[in-house]
Amino acid sequence: MLNVIKIAARNLRRYLRRTILTSSLITLGVVAVLLFISVTGSFKSMMVGQITDSMIGHLQIHRKGYMASIDNLPLNRNLNQQQVAKVKEVLSGVDAVESFSMRIKLGAMFSNFTETTNIRLNTVIPEQEVKTVPLLSERIVEGQKKDVLLQKGEILIPELIAKGMKVKVGDSVVLVANNKDGSVNGKTFLVSGVLEGISGPGGRDGVIHLDDAKELLRIDGVEISEIAVRLKNMGDLPRVFSSLKGEFASFTNKEGNPVFEVHTWKDLSPFYNIAQMIDLMTFFIKIMLVAIVLVSIMNVMIMAVYERINEIGTIAAIGTLPGKIMALFVTEGFLLGVLGTAVGTVISLISIAVINAAGLTFNFGRQSNLVLAPTIGAGDVITIVLIVIGIAVAASLQPAYKAARMDPITALRHV
Amino acid sequence: MTIAYSGDFEKEILTKEKVMSLVTADHLEKTYQIGEISVNAIRGVNFTIEPASFVSFVGPSGSGKSTLLNMIGCLDPPTAGSLKVVGQDIARMDRKQAAHFRGEHIGFVFQDFNLIPVLTVFENVEYPLLMVQNWPAKERKKRVNNLLDAVGMGDQGDKYPSQISGGQKQRVAVARALVTNAKMVLADEPTANLDGETANRIINLMKKMRDEFDTTFIFSTHDPKVMQSAEIIFTLEDGKLLQRQNDNGGTNA
């Protein structure tokens, strides 16, 4: 086999210009795909990280039917004490769960004493919340970042309301909310920080302490709208989701209907659709790469066979077996693929390092100066390398087969 | 080794072939179909060739010389009759068996030399040992060097075909044909692209190699000077064997 490789390599060197052109085309394709995957992958993972680590968490558990009416932030679809206890019991038994955070979601009127507007609120137990969505405190653009996020009586207000209502850190504001029984209650809060808005549900919510929410809503016992869950490793999400979904499905009410519903961040954030679009685009870019490699290698190998018909006749006449002739041409295609891929991979990795070193920034939605930090996993690189080399070999098969099947006499007569 | 002429060509074939023939053709025919037209390239030819012979097929263009050489070289199967080469009926071989047989028993020298341009002189001669017979490296090197020395190209091994003359290329081709210990070398118009003096040198080289290695050389030519060098001359015309002439003057029509 080494001899076949040696002769195939020499044949590639014989047509050096063509070899360089073809492998350059493959290189270009590999660079385009690897850079695209790394940049979009980094964008995707950064956005997913932002969404899960500063807002949604990896999973959320609600009472059945809550998500269908989440736009209204219904208080009558909260989990009760018994149900919350059940969820806690289940989650505490799952090793993959790092932490979880109990929340009450509500809508309220926000007043700075001169103007009033609507506000959506996420009410949390700060210690649980910072463990479950650790990047939330990073979104505080004004006000001091504290370990405990906020104290009772404090509120973190969204950036848009802060600007629109001209409210600053340290100001007092009033929240007025409808209670479950239809009555109204109000409470004064101290603005302790301004939260940067991000895309997706809850991205522009204010944050108050859960105890304040209970006081505002006149809730006595335990009532929880949602439980956000953070996993130790996001890679476990499909497995844990499937397991929790199965487990919670077993809890039913008197009518036999399930009590809980479990959702991953994918069900909750519209960014998942963008992520899917990115994956689709990546797929089409890969298809284009396959087409480039297929056409260029096939073209070159067809030319190689045509130009060397007489040579094929010679080696066939002196007793080279058809299989070896085929191997010779397939190896040429293989080496072209390897050459183009190797150079392409090296250029891509260098480019990724350069982009990272340059610290390029971009804006997405209302978020600005996001640092572009492309990374690519070994798995992606290996997949692309294998695809390109596999296609290069596949593209050489037909011309190689033709060479192997060539009649030696006809080939020897060819001028 | 040449055979003594008995006076009865057909009878001689039948008696000797069983004992010592390298090639035996019995009512050999080859017909090509070109569209709706059948072309009878070889018409009922009988002959035998013994080991270590120096044989030439001569005749005008289109007489069937190349077709006959192609059939002896297992490149083209006969349409009818039988052709045994080294005791094997070549009509029964498939492509792979024929390739294997050629690699084992037959060397080829071509009119256009047909050296592989990306390989050096040494590597061209080495090629059949490497790609066809899988010789170990040490023996391979020794064998190639011996052959290159034998054809007078021992000091040209590192050169590429483009760096040597036509005569030198044909010497390399002869070495390549002999390197596998082939029982016979088939050469189709081996001197057609060479000047007279170089052509003579190549024919003399082939004869010397025959003497040295006991390899049968069978070549086709239409050059009268070259054909006279052969010890046995088969004259073909219109696909028929007209005459067999030995260098001792014996002739059979």
Short mmCIF file of all heavy atoms in Angstrom, two decimals, chain A residues 81-130:
data_model
loop_
_atom_site.label_atom_id
_atom_site.label_comp_id
_atom_site.label_asym_id
_atom_site.label_seq_id
_atom_site.Cartn_x
_atom_site.Cartn_y
_atom_site.Cartn_z
N GLN A 81 -48.41 24.24 48.01
CA GLN A 81 -47.37 23.78 48.93
C GLN A 81 -47.01 22.30 48.73
O GLN A 81 -45.84 21.92 48.68
CB GLN A 81 -47.85 24.01 50.37
CG GLN A 81 -46.76 23.69 51.39
CD GLN A 81 -47.13 24.19 52.78
OE1 GLN A 81 -48.17 24.81 52.97
NE2 GLN A 81 -46.27 23.95 53.73
N GLN A 82 -48.06 21.50 48.59
CA GLN A 82 -47.86 20.06 48.44
C GLN A 82 -47.12 19.75 47.13
O GLN A 82 -46.21 18.92 47.09
CB GLN A 82 -49.23 19.39 48.45
CG GLN A 82 -49.18 17.91 48.70
CD GLN A 82 -50.58 17.29 48.56
OE1 GLN A 82 -51.59 18.00 48.44
NE2 GLN A 82 -50.62 15.99 48.57
N GLN A 83 -47.53 20.45 46.09
CA GLN A 83 -46.91 20.21 44.77
C GLN A 83 -45.46 20.69 44.77
O GLN A 83 -44.57 20.02 44.22
CB GLN A 83 -47.71 20.94 43.68
CG GLN A 83 -49.08 20.32 43.44
CD GLN A 83 -50.04 21.26 42.74
OE1 GLN A 83 -49.85 22.47 42.70
NE2 GLN A 83 -51.13 20.69 42.21
N VAL A 84 -45.22 21.82 45.41
CA VAL A 84 -43.84 22.33 45.48
C VAL A 84 -42.96 21.33 46.24
O VAL A 84 -41.82 21.05 45.84
CB VAL A 84 -43.81 23.72 46.15
CG1 VAL A 84 -42.37 24.15 46.48
CG2 VAL A 84 -44.48 24.76 45.27
N ALA A 85 -43.51 20.80 47.32
CA ALA A 85 -42.75 19.82 48.12
C ALA A 85 -42.41 18.60 47.27
O ALA A 85 -41.30 18.05 47.35
CB ALA A 85 -43.57 19.41 49.34
N LYS A 86 -43.35 18.19 46.44
CA LYS A 86 -43.13 17.03 45.57
C LYS A 86 -42.00 17.30 44.57
O LYS A 86 -41.10 16.48 44.36
CB LYS A 86 -44.46 16.70 44.84
CG LYS A 86 -44.47 15.42 44.07
CD LYS A 86 -44.16 14.21 44.91
CE LYS A 86 -45.32 13.75 45.78
NZ LYS A 86 -44.94 12.56 46.58
N VAL A 87 -42.06 18.51 43.99
CA VAL A 87 -41.01 18.87 43.01
C VAL A 87 -39.65 18.90 43.70
O VAL A 87 -38.66 18.37 43.17
CB VAL A 87 -41.32 20.25 42.36
CG1 VAL A 87 -40.15 20.69 41.48
CG2 VAL A 87 -42.60 20.18 41.54
N LYS A 88 -39.61 19.51 44.88
CA LYS A 88 -38.34 19.57 45.63
C LYS A 88 -37.80 18.17 45.90
O LYS A 88 -36.61 17.91 45.75
CB LYS A 88 -38.56 20.28 46.98
CG LYS A 88 -38.51 21.78 46.92
CD LYS A 88 -38.66 22.30 48.35
CE LYS A 88 -38.58 23.80 48.42
NZ LYS A 88 -38.81 24.27 49.79
N GLU A 89 -38.70 17.29 46.29
CA GLU A 89 -38.30 15.91 46.60
C GLU A 89 -37.71 15.22 45.37
O GLU A 89 -36.65 14.59 45.44
CB GLU A 89 -39.53 15.15 47.09
CG GLU A 89 -39.25 13.74 47.54
CD GLU A 89 -40.55 12.97 47.79
OE1 GLU A 89 -41.55 13.60 48.20
OE2 GLU A 89 -40.56 11.77 47.53
N VAL A 90 -38.38 15.41 44.24
CA VAL A 90 -37.89 14.77 43.00
C VAL A 90 -36.55 15.35 42.60
O VAL A 90 -35.58 14.62 42.32
CB VAL A 90 -38.92 14.93 41.85
CG1 VAL A 90 -38.32 14.49 40.52
CG2 VAL A 90 -40.19 14.14 42.16
N LEU A 91 -36.46 16.69 42.59
CA LEU A 91 -35.22 17.34 42.13
C LEU A 91 -34.05 17.03 43.06
O LEU A 91 -32.91 16.87 42.60
CB LEU A 91 -35.41 18.86 42.03
CG LEU A 91 -36.35 19.33 40.91
CD1 LEU A 91 -36.50 20.85 40.94
CD2 LEU A 91 -35.88 18.89 39.55
N SER A 92 -34.32 16.93 44.35
CA SER A 92 -33.24 16.63 45.29
C SER A 92 -32.67 15.23 45.05
O SER A 92 -31.51 14.96 45.39
CB SER A 92 -33.75 16.71 46.73
OG SER A 92 -34.29 17.98 46.96
N GLY A 93 -33.46 14.38 44.43
CA GLY A 93 -32.99 13.01 44.17
C GLY A 93 -32.26 12.86 42.85
O GLY A 93 -31.81 11.77 42.50
N VAL A 94 -32.13 13.95 42.11
CA VAL A 94 -31.44 13.84 40.81
C VAL A 94 -30.02 14.42 40.93
O VAL A 94 -29.85 15.61 41.19
CB VAL A 94 -32.23 14.60 39.69
CG1 VAL A 94 -31.51 14.49 38.35
CG2 VAL A 94 -33.65 14.06 39.60
N ASP A 95 -29.03 13.55 40.73
CA ASP A 95 -27.63 13.97 40.91
C ASP A 95 -27.22 15.06 39.94
O ASP A 95 -26.39 15.92 40.26
CB ASP A 95 -26.71 12.75 40.69
CG ASP A 95 -26.59 11.95 41.97
OD1 ASP A 95 -27.02 12.47 43.01
OD2 ASP A 95 -26.11 10.80 41.90
N ALA A 96 -27.78 14.99 38.74
CA ALA A 96 -27.35 15.92 37.69
C ALA A 96 -27.82 17.35 37.95
O ALA A 96 -27.35 18.28 37.30
CB ALA A 96 -27.88 15.44 36.34
N VAL A 97 -28.73 17.53 38.90
CA VAL A 97 -29.26 18.88 39.18
C VAL A 97 -28.30 19.62 40.10
O VAL A 97 -27.95 19.15 41.16
CB VAL A 97 -30.66 18.79 39.82
CG1 VAL A 97 -31.12 20.17 40.29
CG2 VAL A 97 -31.66 18.20 38.83
N GLU A 98 -27.87 20.80 39.64
CA GLU A 98 -26.95 21.61 40.45
C GLU A 98 -27.75 22.43 41.46
O GLU A 98 -27.39 22.50 42.64
CB GLU A 98 -26.15 22.53 39.53
CG GLU A 98 -25.38 23.59 40.28
CD GLU A 98 -23.94 23.68 39.85
OE1 GLU A 98 -23.55 22.93 38.94
OE2 GLU A 98 -23.23 24.47 40.44
N SER A 99 -28.81 23.08 40.98
CA SER A 99 -29.63 23.91 41.89
C SER A 99 -30.97 24.17 41.23
O SER A 99 -31.15 23.91 40.04
CB SER A 99 -28.93 25.25 42.14
OG SER A 99 -28.77 25.93 40.91
N PHE A 100 -31.90 24.66 42.01
CA PHE A 100 -33.17 25.09 41.44
C PHE A 100 -33.68 26.29 42.20
O PHE A 100 -33.28 26.54 43.35
CB PHE A 100 -34.21 23.95 41.42
CG PHE A 100 -34.43 23.27 42.73
CD1 PHE A 100 -35.37 23.74 43.63
CD2 PHE A 100 -33.69 22.14 43.06
CE1 PHE A 100 -35.57 23.09 44.84
CE2 PHE A 100 -33.88 21.49 44.27
CZ PHE A 100 -34.82 21.96 45.17
N SER A 101 -34.53 27.08 41.51
CA SER A 101 -34.96 28.35 42.10
C SER A 101 -36.47 28.49 41.96
O SER A 101 -37.03 28.32 40.89
CB SER A 101 -34.25 29.49 41.36
OG SER A 101 -34.69 30.73 41.86
N MET A 102 -37.12 28.80 43.11
CA MET A 102 -38.58 28.98 43.14
C MET A 102 -38.91 30.41 42.75
O MET A 102 -38.27 31.34 43.28
CB MET A 102 -39.10 28.72 44.55
CG MET A 102 -38.64 27.41 45.16
SD MET A 102 -39.61 26.07 44.52
CE MET A 102 -38.82 24.69 45.30
N ARG A 103 -39.89 30.59 41.91
CA ARG A 103 -40.25 31.95 41.47
C ARG A 103 -41.76 32.15 41.48
O ARG A 103 -42.51 31.19 41.23
CB ARG A 103 -39.76 32.19 40.04
CG ARG A 103 -38.26 32.12 39.87
CD ARG A 103 -37.93 32.09 38.39
NE ARG A 103 -36.50 32.14 38.15
CZ ARG A 103 -35.96 31.97 36.95
NH1 ARG A 103 -36.73 31.71 35.91
NH2 ARG A 103 -34.66 32.06 36.80
N ILE A 104 -42.17 33.38 41.71
CA ILE A 104 -43.55 33.76 41.41
C ILE A 104 -43.46 34.83 40.33
O ILE A 104 -42.69 35.79 40.47
CB ILE A 104 -44.28 34.33 42.65
CG1 ILE A 104 -44.40 33.26 43.75
CG2 ILE A 104 -45.67 34.86 42.26
CD1 ILE A 104 -44.99 33.79 45.06
N LYS A 105 -44.20 34.63 39.25
CA LYS A 105 -44.21 35.62 38.16
C LYS A 105 -45.51 36.42 38.29
O LYS A 105 -46.58 35.85 38.50
CB LYS A 105 -44.19 34.92 36.80
CG LYS A 105 -43.13 33.84 36.64
CD LYS A 105 -41.77 34.39 36.42
CE LYS A 105 -41.51 34.64 34.96
NZ LYS A 105 -40.08 35.01 34.76
N LEU A 106 -45.36 37.71 38.16
CA LEU A 106 -46.59 38.51 38.25
C LEU A 106 -46.47 39.78 37.43
O LEU A 106 -45.36 40.24 37.11
CB LEU A 106 -46.91 38.86 39.70
CG LEU A 106 -45.98 39.86 40.39
CD1 LEU A 106 -46.80 40.83 41.23
CD2 LEU A 106 -44.98 39.13 41.25
N GLY A 107 -47.62 40.34 37.12
CA GLY A 107 -47.67 41.63 36.47
C GLY A 107 -48.11 42.66 37.49
O GLY A 107 -48.91 42.35 38.38
N ALA A 108 -47.59 43.89 37.38
CA ALA A 108 -47.95 44.92 38.37
C ALA A 108 -47.91 46.30 37.70
O ALA A 108 -47.48 46.44 36.56
CB ALA A 108 -46.97 44.87 39.53
N MET A 109 -48.38 47.29 38.43
CA MET A 109 -48.25 48.67 37.99
C MET A 109 -47.02 49.23 38.69
O MET A 109 -46.84 49.04 39.90
CB MET A 109 -49.49 49.49 38.40
CG MET A 109 -50.78 49.00 37.78
SD MET A 109 -50.76 49.11 36.00
CE MET A 109 -50.94 50.87 35.80
N PHE A 110 -46.21 49.96 37.96
CA PHE A 110 -44.96 50.50 38.50
C PHE A 110 -45.10 52.02 38.50
O PHE A 110 -45.39 52.63 37.46
CB PHE A 110 -43.81 50.06 37.59
CG PHE A 110 -42.47 50.63 37.94
CD1 PHE A 110 -41.59 49.90 38.74
CD2 PHE A 110 -42.06 51.88 37.48
CE1 PHE A 110 -40.34 50.42 39.04
CE2 PHE A 110 -40.81 52.38 37.79
CZ PHE A 110 -39.95 51.64 38.57
N SER A 111 -44.89 52.63 39.66
CA SER A 111 -45.06 54.08 39.75
C SER A 111 -43.82 54.71 40.37
O SER A 111 -43.28 54.19 41.36
CB SER A 111 -46.30 54.42 40.58
OG SER A 111 -46.34 55.81 40.84
N ASN A 112 -43.39 55.82 39.80
CA ASN A 112 -42.30 56.61 40.40
C ASN A 112 -42.86 57.85 41.08
O ASN A 112 -42.17 58.82 41.28
CB ASN A 112 -41.25 56.98 39.36
CG ASN A 112 -41.80 57.87 38.27
OD1 ASN A 112 -43.01 58.17 38.25
ND2 ASN A 112 -40.95 58.30 37.36
N PHE A 113 -44.16 57.79 41.37
CA PHE A 113 -44.93 58.85 42.02
C PHE A 113 -45.34 59.97 41.07
O PHE A 113 -46.15 60.81 41.43
CB PHE A 113 -44.18 59.45 43.24
CG PHE A 113 -43.86 58.41 44.28
CD1 PHE A 113 -42.57 57.91 44.40
CD2 PHE A 113 -44.85 57.91 45.12
CE1 PHE A 113 -42.26 56.93 45.34
CE2 PHE A 113 -44.54 56.93 46.06
CZ PHE A 113 -43.25 56.44 46.18
N THR A 114 -44.76 60.01 39.86
CA THR A 114 -45.21 61.00 38.89
C THR A 114 -45.79 60.32 37.65
O THR A 114 -46.67 60.84 37.00
CB THR A 114 -44.06 61.93 38.42
OG1 THR A 114 -43.01 61.12 37.95
CG2 THR A 114 -43.60 62.84 39.54
N GLU A 115 -45.25 59.12 37.36
CA GLU A 115 -45.73 58.38 36.18
C GLU A 115 -45.98 56.94 36.60
O GLU A 115 -45.38 56.45 37.57
CB GLU A 115 -44.68 58.37 35.07
CG GLU A 115 -44.51 59.70 34.37
CD GLU A 115 -43.39 59.61 33.35
OE1 GLU A 115 -42.21 59.71 33.74
OE2 GLU A 115 -43.71 59.40 32.17
N THR A 116 -46.83 56.27 35.83
CA THR A 116 -47.12 54.85 36.10
C THR A 116 -47.04 54.06 34.80
O THR A 116 -47.42 54.55 33.74
CB THR A 116 -48.54 54.70 36.69
OG1 THR A 116 -48.62 55.49 37.87
CG2 THR A 116 -48.85 53.26 37.04
N THR A 117 -46.52 52.85 34.92
CA THR A 117 -46.46 51.97 33.75
C THR A 117 -46.64 50.52 34.20
O THR A 117 -46.68 50.23 35.39
CB THR A 117 -45.13 52.15 33.00
OG1 THR A 117 -45.18 51.39 31.80
CG2 THR A 117 -43.94 51.64 33.82
N ASN A 118 -46.75 49.63 33.20
CA ASN A 118 -46.86 48.19 33.53
C ASN A 118 -45.47 47.61 33.72
O ASN A 118 -44.52 48.03 33.07
CB ASN A 118 -47.53 47.43 32.38
CG ASN A 118 -48.96 47.87 32.21
OD1 ASN A 118 -49.66 48.14 33.18
ND2 ASN A 118 -49.39 48.00 30.96
N ILE A 119 -45.39 46.63 34.55
CA ILE A 119 -44.10 45.93 34.71
C ILE A 119 -44.38 44.45 34.96
O ILE A 119 -45.38 44.09 35.59
CB ILE A 119 -43.28 46.54 35.88
CG1 ILE A 119 -41.87 45.89 35.91
CG2 ILE A 119 -43.97 46.36 37.23
CD1 ILE A 119 -40.90 46.59 36.84
N ARG A 120 -43.52 43.63 34.37
CA ARG A 120 -43.57 42.18 34.65
C ARG A 120 -42.49 41.89 35.68
O ARG A 120 -41.37 42.40 35.55
CB ARG A 120 -43.31 41.38 33.37
CG ARG A 120 -44.43 41.50 32.35
CD ARG A 120 -43.96 40.92 31.02
NE ARG A 120 -43.74 39.49 31.13
CZ ARG A 120 -44.63 38.56 30.75
NH1 ARG A 120 -45.78 38.94 30.22
NH2 ARG A 120 -44.36 37.30 30.89
N LEU A 121 -42.82 41.10 36.64
CA LEU A 121 -41.88 40.87 37.73
C LEU A 121 -41.57 39.39 37.89
O LEU A 121 -42.45 38.53 37.77
CB LEU A 121 -42.43 41.41 39.05
CG LEU A 121 -42.52 42.94 39.14
CD1 LEU A 121 -43.43 43.34 40.28
CD2 LEU A 121 -41.14 43.56 39.32
N ASN A 122 -40.33 39.18 38.19
CA ASN A 122 -39.88 37.83 38.54
C ASN A 122 -39.49 37.90 40.01
O ASN A 122 -38.59 38.65 40.38
CB ASN A 122 -38.67 37.47 37.68
CG ASN A 122 -38.21 36.05 37.89
OD1 ASN A 122 -38.98 35.22 38.38
ND2 ASN A 122 -36.97 35.76 37.54
N THR A 123 -40.19 37.16 40.83
CA THR A 123 -39.90 37.26 42.26
C THR A 123 -39.17 36.00 42.69
O THR A 123 -39.57 34.89 42.36
CB THR A 123 -41.20 37.47 43.07
OG1 THR A 123 -41.92 36.27 43.10
CG2 THR A 123 -42.03 38.57 42.48
N VAL A 124 -38.08 36.22 43.39
CA VAL A 124 -37.14 35.11 43.61
C VAL A 124 -36.66 35.05 45.05
O VAL A 124 -36.78 36.02 45.80
CB VAL A 124 -35.90 35.27 42.70
CG1 VAL A 124 -36.31 35.31 41.24
CG2 VAL A 124 -35.10 36.52 43.06
N ILE A 125 -36.10 33.88 45.39
CA ILE A 125 -35.32 33.77 46.63
C ILE A 125 -33.87 33.98 46.18
O ILE A 125 -33.32 33.14 45.44
CB ILE A 125 -35.50 32.38 47.28
CG1 ILE A 125 -36.97 32.17 47.61
CG2 ILE A 125 -34.61 32.22 48.50
CD1 ILE A 125 -37.35 30.74 47.96
N PRO A 126 -33.26 35.12 46.50
CA PRO A 126 -31.98 35.51 45.88
C PRO A 126 -30.91 34.42 45.94
O PRO A 126 -30.19 34.20 44.97
CB PRO A 126 -31.56 36.75 46.66
CG PRO A 126 -32.85 37.33 47.15
CD PRO A 126 -33.74 36.15 47.43
N GLU A 127 -30.80 33.74 47.10
CA GLU A 127 -29.75 32.73 47.25
C GLU A 127 -29.93 31.60 46.22
O GLU A 127 -28.97 31.11 45.64
CB GLU A 127 -29.77 32.12 48.67
CG GLU A 127 -29.48 33.11 49.79
CD GLU A 127 -30.69 33.98 50.14
OE1 GLU A 127 -31.82 33.63 49.72
OE2 GLU A 127 -30.51 35.03 50.78
N GLN A 128 -31.19 31.20 46.03
CA GLN A 128 -31.46 30.14 45.03
C GLN A 128 -31.25 30.65 43.61
O GLN A 128 -30.70 29.96 42.75
CB GLN A 128 -32.93 29.67 45.16
CG GLN A 128 -33.24 28.87 46.39
CD GLN A 128 -34.69 28.42 46.42
OE1 GLN A 128 -35.48 28.72 45.51
NE2 GLN A 128 -35.07 27.71 47.47
N GLU A 129 -31.68 31.90 43.39
CA GLU A 129 -31.65 32.45 42.03
C GLU A 129 -30.21 32.60 41.52
O GLU A 129 -29.92 32.27 40.38
CB GLU A 129 -32.38 33.80 42.01
CG GLU A 129 -32.62 34.37 40.62
CD GLU A 129 -33.70 33.64 39.81
OE1 GLU A 129 -34.34 32.71 40.35
OE2 GLU A 129 -33.88 33.97 38.63
N VAL A 130 -29.30 33.11 42.38
CA VAL A 130 -27.92 33.31 41.89
C VAL A 130 -27.22 31.98 41.63
O VAL A 130 -26.32 31.90 40.80
CB VAL A 130 -27.07 34.17 42.86
CG1 VAL A 130 -27.54 35.60 42.87
CG2 VAL A 130 -27.04 33.60 44.27
#
